[in-house]
Amino acid sequence: MGKAHSIALATYPMYVWPAPYYPVRDLIVEINDELAAESQKRFGFNRAGTSWREAVEDPEIDVIDILVPNVMHYEVVMAAIANGKHVICEKPLALTANLAREMADAAEAAGVVNQVGFNWRLAPAVQLAKKLIDEGAIGEIRSVRSFWLGEFFNDPSVPLVWRFKKDQAGSGALGDIGSHAIDFSRFLAGDITAVQGIQHQFVTERPLLSGSGTGPVDVDDATAFMLKFASGATGYIESSWAAPGKKTSAGFEVIGSTGSLSFNWEHMGELQYYDGRDSADRQGYRTILTGPAHPSGDFFWPISGYQIGYADTKVIQIADFLSAVAGTTERPQTTFREGLKSTLVEEAVIESAKSGLWTPVQND
Ligand SMILES: NC(=O)c1ccc[n+]([C@@H]2O[C@H](COP(=O)([O-])OP(=O)(O)OC[C@H]3O[C@@H](n4cnc5c(N)ncnc54)[C@H](O)[C@@H]3O)[C@@H](O)[C@H]2O)c1
């Protein structure tokens, strides 16, 4: 490997979160040249460009980080892999599971490090939940309820951007935020084998970006589904970007045979743990404030409860990726294969919402 050059593709002004954390920030690509120049300056990149093709073909670059709209993920990822780059791609990995499968297969065949942007599961409290489950702290998992509820697109005046178009986004709340809830559930309790879903649309028309008239929305504002895990446990997942009062209500409740766990991103430094083996006179949920004793907590502060934020989970994600690029670890935790598995669940949910039937989930 040459120098650890990096490139973040697009997404200024909202989401160039990982950029400041790369050891070398070589080239940032954004199709809007004014934004490209501004973000180069703001995030300290050596160069700015407007062509992602030039970027993926540049022999000086080793790592491509793809943060463009969903419809572009497949093409950019496949070109990056063909040029031997290590690659990070945002979720949902692709518009369809077939495309996501091709991406995972291609990355594995080329032997490049690959990672999908499931940073939410990398929060220390979520990783601690998994550690406690693996250590038997709640016994056998009986059920998992995961959710990602927000209110940011409840406002019908939000214009008709790519997120509201099926041919550019794949799905609405389901793929955009439900994918993280699916990832929570899969991470904590394993593969999902069947789903039964319902989808809702609350805003059917939105103002056109041109400023006059409206156009149709053809994705879900909310999706909910029941599910079965391969382990025999059951579950429920709910995602909505039109849930008034919910700011970033992303989390889970895991009920086990001897205890339970509960987490909500709105208090992302805390994990709630109930141990049913405590003596009767002191039973109750305890709040564990995460810190250096917890997975990746030692990256930040030497004292528990100092708190971390959303961007810090992107730092953890990049660290996980770069450890694999450097050969310290075999692979990142959230590989393209994990992205594919979430996409397979999403497709089964959409099919089930149409048919009204329980629908099996393929897992490869
Ligand atoms: N993991 C997370 O927490 C998280 C959070 C937000 C968004 N995302 C994902 O990140 C991706 C981007 O989302 P967003 O909200 O930043 O979108 P956005 O629409 O705000 O930004 C997309 C950017 O891509 C640029 N762009 C479009 N076509 C381009 C091209 N051909 N070449 C270069 N640049 C181009 C646009 O000009 C724009 O600046 C999506 O896949 C989304 O699902 C993930």
Side-chain angles (χ1 to χ4, degrees):
M1 196 185 80
K3 279 189 288 171
H5 283 115
S6 73
I7 165 189
L9 275 167
T11 80
Y12 181 80
M14 268 181 80
Y15 301 116
V16 194
W17 356 254
Y21 311 117
Y22 283 114
V24 178
R25 297 184 284 285
D26 192 25
L27 171 61
I28 185 155
V29 174
E30 159 61 58
I31 201 161
N32 174 331
D33 55 356
E34 276 176 29
L35 282 185
E38 193 187 332
S39 50
Q40 176 200 357
K41 220 159 75 187
R42 179 165 172 190
F43 295 107
F45 278 77
N46 299 335
R47 300 181 280 156
T50 54
S51 161
W52 65 262
R53 255 187 211 289
E54 274 173 33
V56 298
E57 287 166 7
D58 187 331
E60 282 298 300
I61 288 173
D62 298 310
V63 168
I64 306 277
D65 188 354
I66 297 158
L67 307 100
V68 279
N70 304 352
V71 66
M72 293 178 61
H73 291 179
Y74 173 82
E75 195 182 6
V76 185
V77 162
M78 294 305 270
I81 294 170
N83 283 282
K85 312 297 186 195
H86 302 297
V87 60
I88 305 174
C89 182
E90 265 308 333
K91 44 43 63 178
L93 188 54
L95 296 194
T96 67
N98 281 341
L99 294 178
R101 186 180 297 103
E102 270 188 59
M103 292 154 82
D105 288 348
E108 286 165 15
V112 296
V113 177
N114 56 95
Q115 182 188 55
V116 68
F118 282 147
N119 52 305
W120 297 69
R121 78 145 83 161
L122 298 174
V126 181
Q127 294 281 313
L128 174 61
K130 171 70 170 158
K131 183 168 174 274
L132 293 179
I133 289 167
D134 289 349
E135 288 171 3
I138 62 167
E140 293 293 314
I141 293 181
R142 290 180 173 164
S143 73
V144 182
R145 181 177 79 88
S146 296
F147 47 89
W148 207 126
L149 304 170
E151 63 181 354
F152 43 87
F153 291 146
N154 195 40
D155 178 356
S157 71
V158 174
L160 190 65
V161 294
W162 63 266
R163 271 194 167 78
F164 302 113
K165 298 177 183 174
K166 188 167 180 243
D167 62 351
Q168 291 178 48
S171 65
L174 173 62
D176 195 46
I177 47 179
S179 55
H180 292 300
I182 293 168
D183 190 58
F184 281 153
S185 290
R186 287 197 54 263
F187 174 53
L188 297 171
D191 281 345
I192 293 167
T193 54
V195 293
Q196 177 154 33
I198 310 169
Q199 298 199 286
H200 292 287
Q201 213 188 20
F202 307 119
V203 183
T204 54
E205 294 270 326
R206 288 187 179 270
L208 295 174
L209 281 167
S210 62
S212 69
T214 60
V217 173
D218 61 359
V219 296
D220 56 297
D221 288 314
T223 293
F225 56 101
M226 296 188 292
L227 61 98
K228 296 174 191 168
F229 291 97
S231 67
T234 56
Y236 176 71
I237 290 181
E238 192 177 4
S239 59
S240 172
W241 58 32
K246 299 293 182 186
K247 300 299 177 186
T248 304
S249 188
F252 50 80
E253 284 177 2
V254 186
I255 310 288
S257 53
T258 63
S260 298
L261 294 162
S262 168
F263 170 79
N264 190 319
W265 196 270
E266 290 175 355
H267 303 273
M268 69 171 292
E270 301 173 6
L271 181 69
Q272 304 292 328
Y273 170 44
Y274 177 82
D275 187 349
R277 296 164 300 190
D278 285 345
S279 62
D281 63 351
R282 64 206 60 188
Q283 280 183 0
Y285 269 96
R286 72 183 77 156
T287 301
I288 302 172
L289 277 177
T290 55
H294 304 118
S296 306
D298 57 339
F299 288 5
F300 301 98
W301 307 109
I303 295 172
S304 288
Y306 263 32
Q307 309 291 353
I308 63 166
Y310 170 83
D312 298 312
T313 62
K314 281 291 172 190
V315 177
I316 297 169
Q317 184 194 319
I318 300 305
D320 191 33
F321 178 81
L322 292 179
S323 298
V325 172
T328 317
T329 54
E330 200 180 329
R331 65 178 73 85
Q333 201 182 112
T334 60
T335 58
F336 281 4
R337 193 78 29 211
E338 296 290 287
L340 164 64
K341 290 201 176 201
S342 176
T343 313
L344 286 162
V345 174
E346 290 154 36
E347 269 191 4
V349 170
I350 292 168
E351 197 184 318
S352 160
K354 280 187 195 139
S355 69
L357 301 172
W358 274 97
T359 303
V361 178
Q362 228 188 303
N363 268 293
D364 50 30

